[in-house]
Amino acid sequence: MEEEDLTSYQVVVNHEEQYSIWPVGRELPLGWSSVGKEGTKSECLAYIEEVWTDMRPLSLRKKLEGDQ
């Protein structure tokens, strides 16, 4: 049986608009910033699933838009 994860997480995003979760209270990795959403792991992952609708990095999306 898995142990229950009692860690509070925050949703973070990088300059390419890629999302991840990070434990609250730990220093964010370079290049990542909080989006202001905190909660359990499942709450944060559900939020990411809702808002991260295009998995392509921002630079790729911009390049493809410019090629049209």
Side-chain angles (χ1 to χ4, degrees):
M1 183 172 154
E2 287 187 42
E3 288 185 36
E4 185 178 356
D5 186 354
L6 301 176
T7 305
S8 290
Y9 291 92
Q10 60 183 318
V11 178
V12 294
V13 65
N14 67 14
H15 70 283
E16 288 282 6
E17 295 183 358
Q18 297 169 310
Y19 288 82
S20 189
I21 61 173
W22 196 255
V24 171
R26 286 191 56 197
E27 185 176 343
L28 293 178
L30 190 61
W32 293 83
S33 59
S34 176
V35 301
K37 170 68 178 170
E38 293 184 4
T40 64
K41 185 176 189 175
S42 60
E43 289 170 340
C44 289
L45 292 175
Y47 174 83
I48 291 171
E49 188 172 327
E50 184 179 313
V51 299
W52 195 10
T53 57
D54 190 339
M55 302 294 275
R56 298 173 300 169
L58 180 62
S59 58
L60 177 60
R61 294 194 315 263
K62 285 183 174 182
K63 182 180 183 326
L64 293 175
E65 289 170 7
D67 289 346
Q68 295 178 0

